[in-house]
Amino acid sequence: MTIHNIVAVTACPTGVAHTIMAAEALKKTAQVMGHELRVETQGSEGVKNALSDAEIAAADLVIVAADIHVDLDRFQGKPIHAVSTSRAIRDTRSVIEEAIARSRSVAPVDRSAPSKPIMAASTPSPTPTTSTVAPDLSATGSRYLVGITSCPTGIAHTFMAAEALRKGAAELGHDIKVETQGSVGAKNQLTPEDIDRADAVVIAADTHVDTARFVGKRLYQTSTKHALKDGAGVIQAALATPAPTATAGDRPDYLQSVQQAKAEQSAKRSGPYKHLLTGVSYMLPVIVAGGLIIALSFVFGLDPAEGTFGDALKQIGGDAAFSLIVPVLSGFIAFSIADRPGLAPGLIGGVLAANLGMGFLGGILSGFLAGYIALFVREKINLPANFEGLKPVLVIPLLSTLAVGLLLVYVFGVPVKAILDGLTAFLQNMGQTNAVILGLILGGMMAVDMGGPVNKAAYTFAVGLLATNIFEPMAAVMAAGMTPPLGLALATLMAKRKFTEEERQAGKVASVLGISFITEGAIPFAVKDPLRVIPSCIAGSAVAGGLSMLFGCTLRAPHGGVFVLAIPNAVGQGGLYIVAIALGSLVTAIVVTQLKRWQPSVQSTPEPTRASSAH
């Protein structure tokens, strides 16, 4: 077997979980396969373990496992195989085999000299471990391509690059449909049918473009400048790019089936639900940062004196960060609906909703109003070509902001505020029985899909109530979210014979994720044995949530796990809060071990083809 020298880059938006997990999976699997691999990680904290020029020069191939834009200029002349971090984690061996197959199948295109003719790729003979690589299409009949162009401003280069690609394709006798992601949002959007019939995909962009919808397609990425200079050359290079290869490791397993099912369900969901979750995802970092800073201010007392350090922290967390919660929620719901044109009216509508006392309910309403009104203005109001540039910076923001503002002030402000006040009063004055029932419901929801839509709905409800000074649901939700990984980690210790060695090792990792309030730490167990694991987790989380509400526990920080217990005044009834989490975890462990009594004891066997499963 030939030993390959591989360099890799892993990157995700946060630069923490998926970045590190993908890097570890690649390193360990490459070692098992007998290859040498060096990984650089990129994320919110910058670049770590940076690859040197000498390491890149000595590499036989490059693997890029990323969910954000990664600069590939330094890898010119090297075969590059790009995948998502999730694929690198769950299909590590396949990713490495595909990268090696690609390096053998075609000489890399020199992107530094785009005007040079692209030679047809040679196709290797099939081997037992890899399927035949699809042939170069650049020299065969008329082909259909799809593309995306995007630049930071979203005006000139975006549309000029799109036109250059269309002309280049026409010169070569091909057809291409190009989606432009500009300042007025996405135009000429690609449909699933367009992507399905496409022979290749061209991304000519100077900003990050999500490529998840192009899985399984020839994908060629370059800059708008390159497309402008040599549109025909870019088309040729895209058609010369080898298609993703099918390898022996690509046989569908249960994890892949679950992931695919989730993706299909997500795609089928109606628009409003997707837009709401987009707004929530952008709101969470703001509320987490603000909540933790407010909790830190409690070290100096619940009401620190003006001018003190505690007062400064309270201003940062409460007056600044928390004042952005509703505007950010509203702004990015609108952004999800109408793209960039929706952002201004969404943010302004969110501020207005907060000022009118409409709370997070008003933020959700203003976001949807702003998004759909901006979308209507964008699609229905047409200007002469010479004035089209005014549309995204003047016409859409002005008209949509006026419409949203007037609707909130004169139509929706009073009734929405009344609804929020009623909800707040009910939660503040509810009896112990109702509190426990609410805790049971929220707790169970946190474990149903562990980080999925139901989990997010419960979390969003609790987070939204923080702004109205209701802290009990937040405590119940976090306790319930910590329980699944902690309970499963405990189960691997209580009934070792019912778990493989890999699962017992995963249990150690799950315990760390559990105390950090990362519910997703339970997913590997749930995927392998959903009928036993998921009901067990729901039972334990419901108990934890119900007990937290029964004990009157409060939580002023929306994240942080057990570590927030170290912050004075951040958790009310801290001792009983730990009891609630411990009992919920114990229930999960007992239920899952009892359910596993009806399955035979397992023997651990090495699984080199799934070296990433412990991650």
Side-chain angles (χ1 to χ4, degrees):
M1 182 190 71
T2 304
I3 297 176
H4 290 84
N5 188 3
I6 307 171
V7 294
V9 177
T10 63
C12 71
T14 61
V16 186
H18 279 72
T19 298
I20 296 171
M21 291 165 70
E24 287 299 313
L26 287 169
K27 283 192 291 187
K28 290 185 178 180
T29 306
Q31 185 179 19
V32 170
M33 297 173 68
H35 303 303
E36 296 180 2
L37 187 141
R38 174 91 162 76
V39 189
E40 171 186 303
T41 59
Q42 298 182 9
S44 57
E45 297 180 356
V47 177
K48 293 185 178 180
N49 302 318
L51 298 171
S52 66
D53 293 339
E55 288 170 330
I56 295 171
D60 299 314
L61 59 134
V62 181
I63 296 174
V64 178
D67 305 320
I68 59 176
H69 174 68
V70 172
D71 186 5
L72 303 179
D73 289 346
R74 55 185 168 150
F75 301 124
Q76 287 180 6
K78 298 288 182 183
I80 301 174
H81 184 55
V83 296
S84 64
T85 55
S86 61
R87 178 129 195 271
I89 293 167
R90 71 173 188 264
D91 277 333
T92 319
R93 188 182 186 92
S94 299
V95 168
I96 294 175
E97 288 176 345
E98 289 170 7
I100 293 172
R102 169 168 290 190
S103 70
R104 291 170 177 164
S105 66
V106 62
V109 177
D110 184 358
R111 299 186 185 184
S112 64
S115 60
K116 293 181 181 180
I118 308 297
M119 303 302 293
S122 59
T123 305
S125 300
T127 66
T129 56
T130 61
S131 298
T132 304
V133 179
D136 171 17
L137 300 177
S138 60
T140 60
S142 177
R143 297 291 174 180
Y144 181 72
L145 301 91
V146 294
I148 294 178
T149 60
S150 178
C151 69
T153 58
I155 304 177
H157 281 70
T158 297
F159 298 99
M160 291 165 64
E163 187 60 29
L165 290 175
R166 292 189 194 101
K167 289 182 178 179
E171 288 174 13
L172 297 169
H174 304 308
D175 186 22
I176 185 171
K177 179 178 179 180
V178 184
E179 174 183 308
T180 55
Q181 297 185 358
S183 57
V184 293
K187 290 280 192 177
N188 200 32
Q189 289 183 310
L190 302 175
T191 65
E193 292 75 21
D194 293 327
I195 297 169
D196 185 56
R197 65 179 280 233
D199 297 301
V201 181
V202 179
I203 307 292
D206 306 318
T207 59
H208 172 62
V209 172
D210 184 9
T211 60
R213 50 181 166 158
F214 305 121
V215 172
K217 293 290 181 181
R218 288 178 174 82
L219 180 64
Y220 182 74
Q221 300 188 64
T222 186
S223 63
T224 55
K225 184 178 179 182
H226 185 175
L228 280 168
K229 284 186 176 181
D230 188 13
V234 169
I235 298 296
Q236 283 184 305
L239 292 172
T241 301
T245 57
T247 67
D250 284 330
R251 289 188 299 269
D253 59 16
Y254 194 79
L255 177 55
Q256 288 175 276
S257 300
V258 171
Q259 293 287 350
Q260 184 177 356
K262 283 188 175 183
E264 290 173 354
Q265 289 173 356
S266 178
K268 291 177 183 177
R269 288 190 187 107
S270 59
Y273 178 70
K274 172 189 170 186
H275 304 321
L276 175 62
L277 286 189
T278 299
V280 171
S281 69
Y282 281 98
M283 175 191 72
L284 288 182
V286 177
I287 201 164
V288 168
L292 291 176
I293 292 172
I294 290 175
L296 285 173
S297 73
F298 296 150
V299 173
F300 305 93
L302 292 176
D303 189 19
E306 186 176 350
T308 62
F309 185 69
D311 180 58
L313 292 176
K314 196 170 182 181
Q315 289 182 50
I316 296 168
D319 299 341
F322 264 45
S323 67
L324 288 174
I325 293 172
V326 174
V328 170
L329 173 64
S330 173
F332 282 97
I333 289 174
F335 175 79
S336 177
I337 297 169
D339 216 310
R340 279 183 270 187
L343 197 53
L347 290 170
I348 295 169
V351 172
L352 185 59
N355 291 342
L356 292 172
M358 299 167 68
F360 75 99
L361 295 178
I364 293 172
L365 175 64
S366 67
F368 280 106
L369 286 174
Y372 285 115
I373 290 173
L375 187 64
F376 177 83
V377 173
R378 188 186 83 180
E379 299 297 332
K380 300 300 182 181
I381 295 183
N382 297 313
L383 299 177
N386 293 337
F387 295 99
E388 192 68 23
L390 292 175
K391 202 170 175 181
V393 296
L394 175 62
V395 177
I396 299 175
L398 175 63
L399 295 180
S400 54
T401 300
L402 272 175
V404 171
L406 293 173
L407 284 170
L408 292 180
V409 171
Y410 291 109
V411 179
F412 296 109
V414 174
V416 172
K417 183 178 185 299
I419 292 171
L420 182 68
D421 291 343
L423 176 63
T424 302
F426 168 74
L427 292 172
Q428 287 177 337
N429 300 310
M430 65 181 173
Q432 197 173 64
T433 302
N434 288 335
V436 172
I437 292 173
L438 178 63
L440 290 169
I441 294 172
L442 291 175
M445 290 175 67
M446 288 297 291
V448 167
D449 52 2
M450 304 176 209
V454 177
N455 171 287
K456 283 186 173 66
Y459 184 71
T460 302
F461 174 77
V463 166
L465 293 175
L466 289 179
T468 58
N469 295 319
I470 298 176
F471 307 112
E472 290 83 0
M474 189 69 251
V477 161
M478 191 164 84
M482 295 165 64
T483 297
L486 288 174
L488 291 168
L490 180 60
T492 61
L493 299 175
M494 292 171 57
K496 293 182 178 181
R497 292 169 51 187
K498 298 298 180 181
F499 297 91
T500 65
E501 176 61 27
E502 289 76 17
E503 288 174 325
R504 291 196 291 271
Q505 292 300 319
K508 298 176 182 177
V509 179
S511 63
V512 177
L513 296 176
I515 64 173
S516 304
F517 185 35
I518 301 176
T519 315
E520 291 84 348
I523 289 178
F525 295 91
V527 166
K528 289 184 178 180
D529 191 6
L531 295 179
R532 295 180 177 88
V533 170
I534 293 177
S536 305
C537 291
I538 293 174
S541 292
V543 168
L547 288 176
S548 176
M549 294 293 287
L550 177 65
F551 297 153
C553 301
T554 60
L555 179 65
R556 294 173 178 265
H559 214 290
V562 297
F563 303 104
V564 297
L565 291 167
I567 303 173
N569 304 312
V571 181
Q573 303 288 350
L576 291 175
Y577 192 54
I578 295 174
V579 171
I581 295 169
L583 290 177
S585 302
L586 182 61
V587 168
T588 294
I590 292 173
V591 174
V592 77
T593 53
Q594 291 302 307
L595 291 177
K596 281 182 175 287
R597 290 179 62 186
W598 284 274
Q599 74 171 20
S601 299
V602 296
Q603 294 182 350
S604 178
T605 56
E607 294 183 85
T609 60
R610 287 283 177 260
S612 63
S613 64
H615 299 279

